Amino acid sequence: MSDNGSEENDIEEIEEDYYEEEDNLMSDHKEFLLLNDPTKYVYMRRVVQRPYAKKNEIYLSNNGKFIYYVKRAKNLLFNQKEKEIIIHGLGAAISLAVKLSLYLQKEIEGLTLSTTTSTEEIIDQYDPLVNDLEPVLKIRHASAIHIKIINDGSSTNLNSNSTTTTLTPINFRTTSKKANSQSKENKKLLKRQELDKKVEQVRSQQKQQREQRQQQQQQQQQQQQQQQQQQQQQQESD
């Protein structure tokens, strides 16, 4: 009885987790529809929180002009004699950061690139248009790239062999919000599959145990019938 009770408790816990996951998915979907309803909420993009930018740092915007960033980087390297500059790209601006760094390395002799990546926290603000609703703040995460361009001291002239070709930007857009959302959905799907698998395993074990109990009961009934028949035969013989 104790084994059966523990198995039933396991089934109940698994089913509770399963339905709780379903409720969370439905709740997320309802919240998404509500926040994106133009008659109820307006989206207010918050400025990304970042530390105070140093003189040799360049933070890229996806809407910024490429030629402006090139001029600024060259000004730091040539006019202000910076030994290194750091280019930061967040989300959709990652490809622009890669393109800019490779362009500078090709155009200017003696530059070395050192790349690191990180995940940055972004806050989205939704302001209500209806009196009975409250403001909502949503936190999401986006990938970022930080490219350090090191000048070894020989970068005094442009590369004589360089040509002003346009480099094809690397597509890092899958690291943006769509990628994070897809990763979250994949985790939910994997968790659901694990729960389904575990439920099937427990149910299969229960089925086997029921069949074994039925066989045992049938054997007991057969033994009882045989005993009764033997008793009746003895009584008739007496």
Side-chain angles (χ1 to χ4, degrees), residues 3-157:
D3 293 338
N4 295 337
S6 62
E7 290 172 359
E8 291 177 357
N9 290 335
D10 291 338
I11 288 287
E12 291 177 357
E13 290 178 359
I14 293 171
E15 290 179 345
E16 287 177 359
D17 292 338
Y18 184 87
Y19 290 122
E20 183 179 355
E21 185 69 20
E22 288 287 335
D23 293 339
N24 291 336
L25 290 174
M26 291 296 295
S27 177
D28 292 342
H29 181 64
K30 290 179 181 178
E31 184 183 39
F32 174 81
L33 295 178
L34 178 62
L35 294 178
N36 289 274
D37 186 342
T39 64
K40 295 181 180 179
Y41 276 98
V42 58
Y43 172 66
M44 303 294 293
R45 183 181 179 87
R46 282 196 171 189
V47 178
V48 179
Q49 300 294 323
R50 61 168 64 104
Y52 178 76
K54 298 179 181 179
K55 179 182 176 182
N56 66 333
E57 291 183 309
I58 303 176
Y59 285 88
L60 304 188
S61 170
N62 190 41
N63 299 323
K65 293 184 177 181
F66 181 76
I67 189 64
Y68 165 76
Y69 294 129
V70 171
K71 290 180 178 179
R72 186 176 172 188
K74 287 182 177 180
N75 178 58
L76 290 173
L77 291 171
F78 291 126
N79 299 335
Q80 301 186 33
K81 307 298 181 182
E82 292 290 341
K83 293 183 178 180
E84 65 179 36
I85 62 175
I86 304 174
I87 296 174
H88 303 276
L90 176 67
I94 289 178
S95 59
L96 182 60
V98 174
K99 177 182 176 180
L100 176 61
S101 303
L102 294 178
Y103 179 86
L104 292 172
Q105 188 183 42
K106 186 174 182 179
E107 290 289 314
I108 303 172
E109 294 180 351
L111 295 184
T112 303
L113 306 184
S114 176
T115 304
T116 58
T117 58
S118 65
T119 301
E120 305 295 332
E121 189 175 89
I122 300 176
I123 300 177
D124 293 328
Q125 179 176 342
Y126 296 85
D127 290 340
L129 300 176
V130 184
N131 293 331
D132 58 347
L133 295 175
E134 296 292 334
V136 177
L137 297 179
K138 301 288 288 184
I139 298 177
R140 58 187 174 92
H141 296 86
S143 298
I145 193 169
H146 316 278
I147 305 175
K148 182 183 293 185
I149 301 178
I150 304 170
N151 183 359
D152 63 2
S154 61
S155 304
T156 56
N157 297 309

Side-chain angles (χ1 to χ4, degrees), residues 80-236:
Q80 301 186 33
K81 307 298 181 182
E82 292 290 341
K83 293 183 178 180
E84 65 179 36
I85 62 175
I86 304 174
I87 296 174
H88 303 276
L90 176 67
I94 289 178
S95 59
L96 182 60
V98 174
K99 177 182 176 180
L100 176 61
S101 303
L102 294 178
Y103 179 86
L104 292 172
Q105 188 183 42
K106 186 174 182 179
E107 290 289 314
I108 303 172
E109 294 180 351
L111 295 184
T112 303
L113 306 184
S114 176
T115 304
T116 58
T117 58
S118 65
T119 301
E120 305 295 332
E121 189 175 89
I122 300 176
I123 300 177
D124 293 328
Q125 179 176 342
Y126 296 85
D127 290 340
L129 300 176
V130 184
N131 293 331
D132 58 347
L133 295 175
E134 296 292 334
V136 177
L137 297 179
K138 301 288 288 184
I139 298 177
R140 58 187 174 92
H141 296 86
S143 298
I145 193 169
H146 316 278
I147 305 175
K148 182 183 293 185
I149 301 178
I150 304 170
N151 183 359
D152 63 2
S154 61
S155 304
T156 56
N157 297 309
L158 294 177
N159 190 343
S160 59
N161 296 324
S162 66
T163 57
T164 56
T165 56
T166 302
L167 300 179
T168 302
I170 300 174
N171 184 9
F172 281 90
R173 292 184 183 274
T174 55
T175 60
S176 60
K177 180 180 178 181
K178 183 178 179 180
N180 293 332
S181 177
Q182 186 65 34
S183 176
K184 184 177 180 181
E185 292 299 326
N186 289 339
K187 289 180 180 178
K188 289 181 179 180
L189 179 61
L190 289 174
K191 184 177 180 181
R192 180 182 296 181
Q193 291 175 345
E194 290 176 357
L195 289 174
D196 290 341
K197 186 176 180 180
K198 191 171 183 180
V199 168
E200 289 299 326
Q201 290 177 348
V202 174
R203 287 178 176 174
S204 177
Q205 291 177 355
Q206 283 190 332
K207 182 179 179 180
Q208 291 178 354
Q209 291 177 353
R210 284 197 301 269
E211 291 176 351
Q212 290 177 356
R213 286 197 296 268
Q214 289 176 355
Q215 290 178 355
Q216 291 176 355
Q217 289 176 355
Q218 289 176 356
Q219 290 177 356
Q220 290 177 355
Q221 289 177 356
Q222 290 176 356
Q223 291 177 356
Q224 289 177 356
Q225 289 176 357
Q226 290 177 357
Q227 291 177 356
Q228 289 177 357
Q229 289 177 357
Q230 290 177 357
Q231 290 176 357
Q232 287 178 358
Q233 290 176 357
Q234 289 179 356
Q235 289 177 358
E236 289 176 358

